[in-house]
Structure formats: C-alpha cells, structure tokens
C-alpha cells in the first residue's frame, strides 16, 4: 500500500507539473487574435497582453526607410471598419506589399501608434496553387 | 491514361473494402480461404494504387496540363528532379503518395508474415485496408487527383520555388514513411486485442516496423528543420508551427512506446499503457494529416482551407472509439502480472520517462489546438506562440535528458544505495564538474548549465556501459578491448544501438539549447566597402550584383568574412524574385562549423548599393544535425537484422508450436 502510494505520488507530481506549466505558460504567453475593428473597439481591453491584429496594408501608406530598416504603414480593417498606424523596426518581410493581408504582433497599447514586434505576411501557399480570381 | 488512373482508384476502393470484409470474416469464422482472399485483395489494392501513381507521375513528367493538378504544380521548365517533388507538392498528389506508401507497407507486412503470425495477420490486413479505404475514398470522392481543366493552359503555374529545394525532395517522403509505418504496428495491436493474444508476440513482431516508423519520423522532422533553416531565412529551424507540431507529437508518443515495450517484454507490465501509446501514436499520425490538410488551425504553412476536416475528425473519432473500446473489452486480461517494486528502479525510470514524453506531447497538442479550444469555449480567439512551447517543454525536456542517463544504468526492480553509488558517482561528479566549468566560463543561463551538466552525465553513463561491457568480454572471452567493444554491438545490437541513439539525442539537446540561448542576432545597414562585426566575425560588404533570366531575378551581395583579420570565407546571400509564380524569396548563405554557424540574410539592397544584412551567430547548431547522423547510425545498429536474433526468434516459435502440439 505504501509502495503504491509512492507511485501515485510520483505520477501525480509529474502530471501536476505538466498541468501547472501548461496553465501558467498559457496565461503568460497568450496572444489575442483580433481584427483591426476589435482592436479599436473601446469595449475590449487587451491591456497587458500581446495581440495579433489581422488587416491589410492601406495603399499609399507605406513608408520604408531602408537605411534604418524602419517601417511605418497603416493597417486597415478587412471590412473597412477602421485603421491603425503601425511602426516596426526590422527587415521587410518578403511578401510585404500594399493591399496585402498581413498580421502584426505586439503589445496592446492605447497609444496612437502600434509598435509591432513582428510583421507576418501570409506565406506562399505550400499545398495549393494560388487561385486566380 | 487519365481514365486508367481514375479506374484504378475506383477499383482500389472496391478491393480494399473487400479486403476488410474477407479478412475479418475469414479470421472470425476461421475460414482460411477467405483470409487468403483478403490478403490477395490487399495486394491488388497496392497494384491499383501503384498504377494510379504511375499515371500521375507520367502526367507530371510529360506536362499534361489537361490535368488540373499537373497544371498547378509543374511547368515546362521545371527540372525533372523536381517533378517527383510535385507529386507531394499539392494536396491530391500527397494523398495519393500517402496511399501508395500505405498499401506498399501493407503488402510488405503480409509478405513478411506469409508463414508467420497467421492468427494476427488478417487483422493487420483489415486494419490497414480500413485506413486505405479512408484515403482512397478521399481521392475518389473529395480530392480527385485526375480532375480535368476545361481549358488547359499552355504553361503550368509551376511548383512553389520554396519547394524546389533538395531538402523538400526528401523531407515529405521521410515524414510520410514515418507516419504511415505506424499503421502496421497498430494493426498488430488491434489483432492482439481482437484475438486475445495479449502476450508480447505482437510487440516483438512489430518491433522493426516501429523502429522504422520512429526512424523515418525522426528524419522527417530533422529534414524539415533543416529545410526551414536553409530556406526560410529567419535564423532558426523550429517555430512550433502546427504542422511541425503535427509531426513532432507522434514522434514523442512513439518514443515513449519504444521504451515502455521493453518493460512489457521483460516484466509483463504496462500492457494497457503500451496499447494506449500505440493507439495514440497512430491516432496522432492521422491527426497530423488532418492538421496539415484541413486548414482548421492557421499556420505559416497556410494550407488550403479544404473541406476535408470533418471527414478526418470522423475517422479519428472512429479509430479512438473502436480501439479504446477493444482495450476496455480486454481490460481484465491486460492486467499486469507483476507490480512495480520501487521508485528507485529501472522500471520506474522508464515509467517517468514515458510520462514526460507524453506530457510534452500533451502540452504540444494543447498549445496547437488552443486557438480552436478558446474560440469554442470562450468565443475569443487566443493563440500561443513559441514562448509557450519553450516554457512548458523546456523544463520537461531537461528532466527527460536526466532520466536518459538514469534509465539505462539503474538496477531493475530495486536499486540499493550501493548500486546507486557504484553506477552514478562518477557520472554525477562529471556532470556537476561540467556544469561548474560552464558557469566558470561565464554561462549564466540555468537551462544551458543544466543541459551541459546533464549531457555530460548521460554521456558518462553511456561510456561506462560500453566500458564495463567490453571489460567483461575481455575477462570472460579473452578478446582484446577493441574487439570486445565491437563485439558488444553484435551481441546486443538493440541495447548498444539504443545507446548510440542516446548519444545522438544528447548532441541534439546541446545544439538546440546552445543555439537558442546564446544566439546572436544583429541588423546592419552598410555601404559598399564598409565592415560590420558580429561575434568574433568581421564582415566586409564588397560588392553587389544583379542577375536576371527567364526563371528569376537575383540580387547578390558579396561579403568577405574575417576572423582575427584573416579572410576565412566569402558569403553570397541573395534576394530572389521568382517569376512564376511571382514571389520574392530569401537565399541565405552561411558558414557552418562545429563551433558556430555564421548565417547571413540579405534584407534589402537599394539602387545606390546600400545593403541591409540580418546576421546571426548560432552556436553549436552543427551538433543538432550531427546528432541526427549519429541517430541514423544508432538506429541502423539497433534495427539491422542479426543472425542471432533470427535464430532466437525461430527457436521461440518452434517451442510455441511444440507446446501447442503437446
């Protein structure tokens, strides 16, 4: 009985550790996947969290300073419900272009400009050729 | 030709359905002629799927753009070697290729066991044919590979340039071989459950299949990582992307299975657990295909949002309900005959190693499907990125590394204090010493110090095992030390091959940890003739060039690399613009050494010749790939057919037959 108890304890500790790690890590690393409209909606608060905002690059808004690898552009809602000014420092992603769908990632802020830590373009499709509409 | 391909698939559906019915009926009613007929039907399925594949490959080779698939993934200018790649470049082709491997393996398993395991084989045939029915149905009803275009184009869209790469030629086949091989051991497990032959026969018979599955799955993961490293140009090789996770999870549960079966073979314990692991591993391979094919979870791989999702989920649910139903039905007979004796024993080290592996698999699964779960439960789409996986799996993996040193050495049943001191004093001292040495050298990351220390510990236990094994042979057989050392491999391939694999895994641990913790990443914008420094390297941007042909336009920068003012190499990172399909791409250049990789990406290059470079120094990443090579060698040793094992197997079979006759 005592021996079995030891094993139950040992297994319990591992299971609990895994559970604990998963639980806390989700809490600390979670990112809200939202649209531009959701970001701008004052009813939502993502304070203290990272957000991933999906939208498209507004035509004519891209200012790229190659010498400093500094990018500024306007991210528009896919359904035209608002715009966000985005600032990013780093390499221009390969597929980045005006009117393209992009996802920006960064800490939620109430400032006028969103500081992106990552700008993701939808990758070239791997399994299906792009269908021309 | 196309008609032949379609007809072959329709017939394959019929033959695989018949194979299920005939083998199941034949086995249950003990009618040998039906069992034989079922096997023949499975062979026929293989032949038919082969015909369909040949038709497809032929179309890919001859630019038959009337077929939608061919028009989408090839062009007249695509080199022949990439035309095979086109077979798995798209959904329909890859499902066809998958089915080809599955039916080939079914036939191979049937042929291997034509005179053996006659009791279990009908169920292997039935199980594998059920999977075949599923995949062939997809091909026939949902994603016909030979769909035609009303107006065939003159030129095809061409294979995605990112896939026109050496690693992409071998990564998907390796992965598919790994995924699909698990079907055979799973079939044996189902056979054992249905027939009630729950001893370790099914495990012994399917051992080499499991090793093969594990081997190809490892290779598939490594090739994929290598491809990402060379082609994607972000300086890393693993991003915890859903598709990567999909291939990683069955590898984890499969590794757990390969270890825990040893306990069943020796101790007749953990039977339910082993059944659970093989079912989970197989289910995860199907889940993996589902993830890659359904587009349910968005990924940088951005697959097509196909309508296949529900079908895969239904099939997956069927597999789980059916197999765990059988396990429940046999639960009483699966009870262990022995109990675990002590926490300090090899049995429990294996048990804990299993729990950790399954824990990592669970955490990976949780993180992968979290966006879907959170949307269901709370209506908010929340995702977790690489930090989540590193945070959870990092500590679990480090604990696993420690157990890798403990498991093979600690005594069976119950380790006494004396055993522990004898076996672990030196490795522990060496591990602590290496950790302290690392600290003295300036390492301050806890995970890096632990990994260095535990790696030394594991390597030392492995070395001690080889040494004591060889010494025993020297005294007993009178061989020289070297002969004895080689003799060890011949005497117990499985054990010593396994140790070699462990050494490879330790190298991978070191490579992964050091390259993640001590990676240096810098962005530099320079004019021609200017220099910049990263780590111990100084790079001089010397020249830029433009090239333009019908295939692509290239911007190429020339960087001279100096170390201590000595020119050591010249790197040529590129920016490419492919013309068909139109798409920019980054062509990384790197200098790889055992110590570190200098990895340079050309970010941008303007008209005045000003260039931006993203440069990385990734320490010890070489050891990740080298660890892969060691792993291949180790698996080769462990799986290579040995005369002695074959003899033992035959002896065991004869004795079983004698017992049955008596």
């Amino acid at each position: 009985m005592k021996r079995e108890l030891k094993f139950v304890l040992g297994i319990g500790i591992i299971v609990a550790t895994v559970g604990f790690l998963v639980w806390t890590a989700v809490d600390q690393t979670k990112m809200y996947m939202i649209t531009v409209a959701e970001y701008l909606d004052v009813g939502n608060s993502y304070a203290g969290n990272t957000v991933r905002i999906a939208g498209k690059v507004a035509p004519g808004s891209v200012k790229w300073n190659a010498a400093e690898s500094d990018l500024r552009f306007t991210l528009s809602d896919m359904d035209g419900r608002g715009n966000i000014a985005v600032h990013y420092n780093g390499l221009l992603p390969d597929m980045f272009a005006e009117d393209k769908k992009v996802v920006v990632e960064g800490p939620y802020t109430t400032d006028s400009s969103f500081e992106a830590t990552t700008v993701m373009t939808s990758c070239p499709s791997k399994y299906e050729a792009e269908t021309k509409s | 030709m196309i008609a032949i391909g379609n007809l072959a698939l329709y017939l394959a559906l019929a033959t695989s359905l018949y194979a299920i019915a005939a083998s199941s009926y034949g086995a249950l009613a003990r009618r040998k002629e039906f069992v034989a007929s079922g096997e023949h039907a499975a062979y026929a399925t293989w032949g038919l799927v082969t015909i369909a594949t040949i038709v497809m490959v032929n179309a890919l080779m001859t630019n038959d753009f009337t077929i939608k698939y061919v028009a989408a993934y090839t062009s007249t200018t695509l080199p022949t070697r990439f035309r095979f790649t086109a077979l798995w470049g798209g959904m329909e082709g890859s499902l066809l290729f998958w089915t080809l491997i599955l039916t080939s393996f079914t036939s191979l398993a049937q042929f291997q066991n034509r005179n053996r395991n006659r009791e279990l084989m009908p169920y292997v045939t039935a199980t594998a044919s059920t999977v075949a029915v599923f995949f062939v149905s997809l091909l026939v009803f949902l994603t016909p590979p030979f769909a035609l275009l009303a107006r065939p184009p003159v030129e095809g869209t061409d294979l995605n340039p990112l896939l026109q790469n050496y690693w992409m030629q071998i990564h998907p086949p390796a992965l598919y071989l790994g995924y699909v091989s698990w079907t055979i051991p799973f079939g044996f497990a189902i056979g054992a459950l249905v027939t009630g032959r729950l001893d370790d026969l099914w495990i012994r018979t399917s051992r080499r299949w499991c090793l093969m599955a594990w081997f190809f799955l490892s290779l598939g993961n490594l090739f994929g990582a290598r491809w990402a490293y060379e082609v994607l140009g972000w300086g890393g090789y693993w991003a915890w992307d859903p598709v990567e996770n999909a291939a990683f999870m069955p590898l984890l549960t499969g590794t757990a299975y390969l270890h825990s079966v040893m306990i069943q073979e020796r101790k007749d314990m953990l039977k339910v657990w082993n059944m659970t692991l093989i079912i989970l591993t197989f289910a995860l391979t199907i889940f993996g295909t589902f993830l890659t094919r359904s587009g349910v979870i968005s990924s940088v791989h951005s697959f097509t949002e196909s309508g296949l999702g529900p079908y895969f989920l239904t099939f997956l649910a069927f597999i789980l309900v059916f197999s765990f139903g059988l396990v429940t039905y046999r639960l009483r007979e699966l009870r262990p005959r022995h109990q675990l004796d002590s926490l300090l024993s090899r049995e429990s080290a294996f048990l804990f190693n299993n729990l950790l592996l399954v824990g990592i698999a669970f955490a990976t699964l949780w993180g992968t499907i979290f966006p879907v779960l959170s949307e269901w439960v709370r209506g908010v789409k929340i995702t977790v990125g690489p930090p989540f996986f590193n945070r959870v799996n990092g500590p679990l993996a480090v604990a696993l590394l420690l157990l890798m040193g403990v498991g093979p050495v600690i005594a069976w049943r119950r380790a006494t204090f004396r055993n522990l001191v004898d076996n672990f004093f030196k490795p522990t001292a060496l591990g602590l010493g290496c950790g302290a040495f690392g600290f003295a050298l300036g390492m301050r990351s806890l995970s890096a110090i632990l990994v260095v220390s535990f790696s030394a510990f594991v390597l030392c236990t492995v070395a001690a095992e080889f040494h004591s094994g060889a010494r025993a042979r020297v005294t007993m057989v009178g061989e020289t030390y070297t002969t004895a050392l080689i003799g060890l491999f011949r005497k117990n391939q499985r054990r010593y091959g396994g140790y070699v694999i462990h050494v490879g895994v330790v190298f991978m641990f070191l490579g992964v940890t050091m390259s993640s913790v001590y990676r240096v990443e810098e962005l530099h914008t320079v004019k021609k003739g200017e220099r910049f420094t990263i780590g111990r390297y100084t790079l001089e941007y010397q020249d830029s060039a433009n090239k333009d042909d019908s295939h692509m336009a290239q911007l190429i920068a020339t960087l001279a690399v100096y170390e201590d003012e000595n020119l050591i190499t010249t790197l040529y990172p590129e920016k490419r613009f492919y013309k068909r399909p139109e798409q920019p791409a980054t062509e990384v250049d790197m200098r790889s050494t055992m110590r570190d990789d200098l990895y340079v990406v050309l970010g941008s290059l303007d008209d005045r010749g000003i260039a931006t470079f993203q440069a990385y120094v990734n320490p010890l990443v070489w050891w990740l790939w080298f660890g892969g090579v060691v792993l291949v060698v180790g698996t080769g040793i462990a799986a290579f057919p040995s005369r002695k094992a074959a003899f033992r197997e035959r002896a065991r079979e004869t004795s079983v037959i004698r017992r049955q006759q008596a």
Side-chain angles (χ1 to χ4, degrees), chain B residues 445-462:
Chain B
S445 148
L446 178 66
S447 50
I449 292 174
L450 284 178
V451 167
V452 165
S453 167
F454 291 175
S455 297
F457 173 76
V458 177
L459 292 178
C460 185
T461 55
V462 171

Side-chain angles (χ1 to χ4, degrees), chain A residues 126-128, chain B residues 9 12 45-46 48-50 52-54 56-57 60 69 73 84-104 128 131-146 172-173 175-177 179-180 183 285-295 303-309 311-312 315:
Chain A
K126 195 168 171 189
Y127 297 113
E128 192 89 340
Chain B
L9 288 178
T45 314
W46 171 51
L48 290 163
V49 175
T50 308
T53 313
I54 290 172
M56 178 54 101
V57 170
L60 289 168
Y69 187 82
Y73 296 106
F84 278 105
T85 318
L87 181 60
W88 47 82
M91 162 118 83
E92 294 84 351
S94 58
L95 288 177
L96 180 62
F97 182 55
W98 179 287
T99 317
L100 176 70
I101 301 176
L102 173 68
T103 50
S104 309
V131 183
V133 165
F134 175 69
F135 279 97
V136 176
S137 305
L138 294 182
L139 288 171
V140 167
F141 300 114
L142 296 165
T143 59
F146 300 108
L175 206 54
Y176 289 3
L177 287 171
Y179 271 157
V180 177
T183 314
T285 65
I286 299 296
F287 182 71
T289 343
F290 158 71
L291 273 187
T292 19
R293 293 292 162 232
S294 68
F303 347 93
T304 124
E305 300 219 354
S306 73
L308 296 188
Y311 299 95
F312 269 102
F315 185 52

Side-chain angles (χ1 to χ4, degrees), chain A residues 46-117:
Chain A
Y46 307 102
N49 282 112
T50 308
V51 289
R52 268 189 188 175
I53 317 168
K56 63 181 177 190
V57 183
S61 72
V62 179
K63 289 191 194 76
W64 167 243
N65 179 344
E68 262 134 52
S69 302
D70 201 70
L71 175 69
R72 282 177 194 281
F73 66 97
T74 306
L75 186 71
S76 305
D77 191 81
M78 295 304 274
D79 304 320
R81 287 184 291 180
N83 296 301
I84 303 171
V86 178
H87 174 239
Y88 169 71
N89 194 280
L91 286 188
L92 201 62
D94 273 345
M95 304 289 281
F96 188 89
E98 292 184 349
D99 226 19
K100 272 253 178 193
K101 193 186 166 192
V102 294
V103 174
V104 296
E105 181 187 314
Y108 175 81
T109 165
T110 46
D111 298 348
S112 60
S113 174
F114 182 79
E115 287 293 321
T117 51

Side-chain angles (χ1 to χ4, degrees), chain B residues 372-385:
Chain B
V372 178
L373 290 180
S374 79
E375 198 170 18
W376 271 358
V377 177
R378 294 175 48 199
V380 205
K381 223 174 180 180
I382 298 174
T383 188
V384 291

Side-chain angles (χ1 to χ4, degrees), chain B residues 217-233:
Chain B
L217 210 47
S218 311
L219 278 191
N221 273 286
L222 274 168
F223 291 162
R226 182 74 206 185
W227 172 78
Y229 191 57
E230 276 184 19
V231 176
L232 295 184

